[in-house]
Amino acid sequence: MAQMQASRPGDADGELHTHLNALRLTLHHSKPFADGPAEICPVCKSSRYLNPKMRFLINPECYHRMCESCVDRIFSQGPAPCPIAGCGRTLRKARFRRQTFEDLKVERECDIRARIEKIFNRREDEFTSLRAYNDYLEFKEDITFNLIERIDVAATEAKLAAYSAENSASIGKNAVLAIQEHSSIEEREAAQREISRLSREAARKEEEDQKQAREAGRREFTQLVAAGKAGPDELLRQTQKVVLKKSTARRPAVDKARLQPGMELKSKDPFSSISGNGATDPSFTIRGLKAPVIVEQQKPYDPFGGMSMDTLYYSLQAYYEHPWLENARNDAVITAGGYDVQEYYARAMLEGNAGLCCFIADEKATSESLGDEKAVATTGAADATSKGGGIDMSDDDT
């Protein structure tokens, strides 16, 4: 008895130690009101320990945390400088929002990347070579890295503004295309859920129909056996044959009812590869590099439409020595009127060589064939004149 009483103080100390350890672990894991630097507003010094419903907000302009009460008190009247010492940036209440990530560096990087992604939204199919696409991605990542690490921020912002102004049309076009693709993805997901629901309903209905068919077949088999019209084995085979025939005839209708809603939903999606009849659309292709377009150089304007003006049988010289032409070259009375000896050269050489490409035999055959046609026309005109009594070409009305 004394020995048991002597051991009680130690047992009490052990139990107390156990309770203290349990309480310490509970406080360590729960921490309902941690009073650290992140839980105290740097502006009004309010703590979440005294106000459990206090919410902290950040502004993407400087990412300084402050409580919602300070935001309402300072920025309700309009833009105001940041109350954090050493900042001084002008903030607006509309841009304050709740913090998404625990680390503000991660929060800032995500915001910067989202901003850059809205401007640098070109796609791979807009480039003709993989090198050009990789250079574009490298330039984009350089801009992002400089803004995140605050390296040459002014120069980087200038490059970003210049690129945005230069490619404003393509940026807007790609933004609209991204919205359409996002809505298309949502429609496809909703269509897939609808298809799954309809498939489950069709499978459940098919199972119920099969169950009803089995029950009907069992009742029919029982009635036939009770009537004694045939043996049990023969009746069983006939009943199974009838049930199989009914299920086989019902299956195409069930499959059509299961697949038809899905095809109708997919046919409404412009980005889907399934056409309205359920077949794969051959015009659907996977996006990649844009096919290079060979641009032909614009040729100079030709007023003759490509007809060559070069001579084939002679070459026109710039000067021909002839005594008769010396006066025409040097007399001011002749040249003052616009006479050009070079034009005389061209006309004389053309007239002298014009018959070199003419062949008498071919010309004669052609003229004979044309002569027959003219003879027929002349005969027809003579007949018309003789029948009509001639044509009166006078101007008299009487």
Side-chain angles (χ1 to χ4, degrees):
M1 188 68 178
Q3 185 178 1
M4 292 178 62
Q5 292 177 355
S7 62
R8 287 178 183 174
D11 293 339
D13 294 339
E15 293 178 0
L16 180 60
H17 184 68
T18 302
H19 285 300
L20 289 175
N21 287 336
L23 181 60
R24 187 181 299 109
L25 290 174
T26 303
L27 292 176
H28 176 72
H29 289 288
S30 61
K31 289 186 179 179
F33 304 110
D35 198 13
E39 303 299 327
I40 299 177
C41 177
V43 180
C44 63
K45 306 302 179 183
S46 299
S47 174
R48 196 188 290 271
Y49 178 80
L50 300 176
N51 185 10
K53 296 182 180 180
M54 183 173 60
R55 293 197 311 167
F56 287 94
L57 303 177
I58 61 171
N59 194 305
E61 189 68 26
C62 61
Y63 292 93
H64 287 143
R65 299 173 77 247
M66 60 189 73
C67 66
E68 191 174 9
S69 300
C70 293
V71 173
D72 293 336
R73 186 183 74 256
I74 299 173
F75 302 99
S76 294
Q77 302 299 327
C82 179
I84 303 299
C87 181
R89 293 190 178 183
T90 302
L91 306 181
R92 290 170 174 79
K93 183 180 178 180
R95 297 200 63 188
F96 277 92
R97 59 179 175 81
R98 298 193 65 178
Q99 184 176 345
T100 304
F101 299 96
E102 183 178 359
D103 192 351
L104 287 176
K105 292 182 179 179
V106 177
E107 186 87 19
R108 179 173 174 272
E109 180 176 351
C110 291
D111 291 343
I112 291 175
R113 290 191 177 276
R115 176 194 171 195
I116 296 299
E117 193 65 30
K118 291 181 181 179
I119 299 176
F120 290 88
N121 57 356
R122 296 186 65 183
R123 301 162 179 267
E124 186 179 359
D125 54 0
E126 299 182 35
F127 297 88
T128 57
S129 65
L130 185 60
R131 177 60 181 271
Y133 181 60
N134 289 334
D135 291 343
Y136 167 77
L137 294 179
E138 184 178 1
F139 177 69
K140 171 183 174 182
E141 191 60 30
D142 290 341
I143 295 291
T144 305
F145 180 80
N146 291 342
L147 293 178
I148 292 174
E149 299 298 330
R150 295 184 175 90
I151 301 174
D152 296 334
V153 178
T156 304
E157 289 288 352
K159 291 181 181 179
L160 189 62
Y163 178 85
S164 178
E166 184 179 355
N167 301 274
S168 58
S170 62
I171 291 173
K173 179 181 177 181
N174 290 333
V176 173
L177 186 59
I179 294 174
Q180 293 177 355
E181 288 184 351
H182 181 69
S183 62
S184 175
I185 291 174
E186 292 181 349
E187 291 177 1
R188 282 202 297 268
E189 291 177 352
Q192 188 64 37
R193 290 193 296 268
E194 183 68 15
I195 291 171
S196 300
R197 185 185 66 81
L198 295 175
S199 298
R200 290 193 299 269
E201 290 182 358
R204 184 166 52 252
K205 187 176 184 301
E206 182 181 3
E207 186 178 356
E208 292 177 357
D209 293 343
Q210 291 179 357
K211 185 178 180 180
Q212 293 177 1
R214 286 195 300 268
E215 292 293 336
R218 189 178 296 108
R219 286 194 302 269
E220 184 180 358
F221 174 75
T222 304
Q223 292 174 1
L224 292 176
V225 170
K229 294 182 178 181
D233 296 337
E234 181 65 23
L235 290 175
L236 181 61
R237 284 195 297 270
Q238 292 179 2
T239 304
Q240 291 178 349
K241 186 182 297 184
V242 171
V243 172
L244 180 62
K245 184 182 296 184
K246 290 182 179 179
S247 62
T248 304
R250 189 173 59 251
R251 183 171 295 278
V254 173
D255 294 340
K256 183 178 180 181
R258 182 186 301 177
L259 296 176
Q260 185 64 27
M263 296 300 103
E264 292 178 356
L265 290 172
K266 287 187 176 181
S267 62
K268 299 178 182 178
D269 185 6
F271 294 95
S272 176
S273 61
I274 305 299
S275 59
N277 57 359
T280 303
D281 187 3
S283 63
F284 178 79
T285 55
I286 299 176
R287 289 200 308 267
L289 294 175
K290 182 174 63 175
V293 179
I294 301 176
V295 181
E296 297 183 357
Q297 295 183 356
Q298 187 176 4
K299 298 179 180 179
Y301 174 72
D302 186 7
F304 299 101
M307 181 171 38
S308 177
M309 302 300 294
D310 298 335
T311 57
L312 300 177
Y313 301 100
Y314 63 92
S315 296
L316 187 64
Q317 303 295 328
Y319 179 81
Y320 289 94
E321 185 176 358
H322 195 280
W324 181 80
L325 297 175
E326 293 297 331
N327 186 30
R329 291 195 192 98
N330 301 323
D331 191 355
V333 177
I334 298 177
T335 58
Y339 182 78
D340 188 6
V341 181
Q342 193 69 21
E343 295 181 0
Y344 173 76
Y345 294 163
R347 182 167 58 84
M349 294 295 292
L350 178 63
E351 292 175 353
N353 298 276
L356 293 179
C357 57
C358 298
F359 300 95
I360 302 301
D362 296 341
E363 294 288 339
K364 186 176 181 180
T366 304
S367 63
E368 289 178 356
S369 61
L370 292 176
D372 296 338
E373 295 178 359
K374 291 180 178 179
V376 173
T378 303
T379 304
D383 294 340
T385 304
S386 61
K387 292 179 181 179
I391 300 176
D392 187 7
M393 301 296 293
S394 63
D395 296 336
D396 297 338
D397 295 337
T398 57

